[in-house]
Amino acid sequence: MLGLRVPATPEVARAVRLTYGFQFFFGLLLWIPIFYEYQKQLGLSDAEIFGIQSIYYVAFCLLEIPTGLVADRFDYRTSLWLGASVLVVANLVPVLAGNYTGFLVHFLLIALARSLISGAQSAYLYEYLHAHDAGHLYLKVEGVGRSYSLVGKIVYWPVIGLLMQWNMPSPYWLTAINAAIAVVLALRLPPIPGWQRPEGKTSKLLAGVGGAFGSLRTSRWLLLLMIQGIAMFTLVRILQVNLFQPVLESKDVPVGWYGSVLAAMTIFEAIAAARPHWLSRRIGPARSVFLLTVVMALAIGFIVPSGGVVTIVLLCLFSVTAGMSFPIQKKLLNDAIPDSRYRATLLSMESIMDRAVCAVVAVALGAYLTGGRLDEFLVLSSVVTVIVMALLAGLLIAVRTTRRRRAQLVP
């Protein structure tokens, strides 16, 4: 019923199915395997393409807190259907304006759409399950939902190059249709039992910012977990979106194979995403994210001396670790949030950190690619990530030890 071997009430099952459907259609961005080549065919340079990506990440950062506050203030479901509606418009822009300005507007609207749902989607699921005494299902549901969201990509991505040859803007038309379906599913999501619009100070959006930062100041553990997620998210975003095509191009993999390779990566990611508990139960969630991030970094580093076939294997290994790490990281953050009134806003703050780093990395990536130094960038990314994760692990251990000692002193 839920894709889980766990009993659930009909109300929970319906909400979870609708959430799965929303994740599936909202995340079905069919143009991802070809957008780099698509923009190059329309005359954009590498500097322009990666410059747009950097602006996208900056815009995402600027939009995250306002949209998170809207979700906390006016209901998570409202934020979800608004985000999907913006996504519909965003994917029609490249069809109508296939130039630098058109793609800039396209990615700015993508940033708005994704910021509207980034914290709200996870917050809705977490709060709804806990309101129905089903919070123990969250990790599995989050993982299975991410797995389902990848299934459509597995089906479509191998043929997306052919679709582009048949009708160049067809990937964008189809993505707009998928987003429209996501709007319908978001409108059908049931309300969270007992949820009420925040009163008092939280009725003012600016007061909500203060409340969220107050929660963050009181929990060093939450702050460190957010920072831990930065490395994971940046590696995944930069490799799977920005570096995927340049890496395959550097290994002389034919363009016609790009969709198939990305589909294979997605299969591995989907399988792993449905089983996040496999590792989390054995070594704990925080250690799991640490280990998986280090494996991602090493996989990126070993791409440099590898040939085409080994590179594809390493990309698939990278996808396994990415699929398993995302649900675990989301549960870690949700469990660490001290005040649920600011849940979407706090989750958005993590996204701000993620996108801010991605914006800087995207600018650097454009410079490295322009200078023909892709291998140097891959090695540097791998080494820096491993060093940062080692330092962060020490801080997490220190904070956890301090928390345990304080807990023992409390009568």
Side-chain angles (χ1 to χ4, degrees), residues 55-71 79 86 105-119 344-345 348-349 351-352 355:
I55 294 171
Y56 161 80
Y57 290 126
V58 172
F60 204 113
C61 293
L62 296 175
L63 292 167
E64 272 289 3
I65 287 183
T67 54
L69 292 169
V70 167
S79 192
V86 173
V105 173
H106 163 70
F107 274 102
L108 288 175
L109 290 175
I110 293 288
L112 175 58
R114 297 191 71 84
S115 66
L116 280 165
I117 70 103
S118 65
T345 305
S348 293
M349 285 181 176
S351 293
I352 288 176
R355 268 68 179 195

Side-chain angles (χ1 to χ4, degrees), residues 259-307:
S260 297
V261 173
L262 196 53
M265 291 169 60
T266 309
I267 290 173
F268 284 101
E269 185 175 352
I271 292 172
R275 295 164 176 79
H277 51 283
W278 181 83
L279 183 63
S280 181
R281 285 178 179 174
R282 286 165 172 78
I283 65 174
R287 291 178 182 174
S288 296
V289 174
F290 168 80
L291 176 62
L292 292 168
T293 304
V294 170
V295 173
M296 286 186 216
L298 294 176
I300 287 178
F302 280 112
I303 285 175
V304 173
S306 302

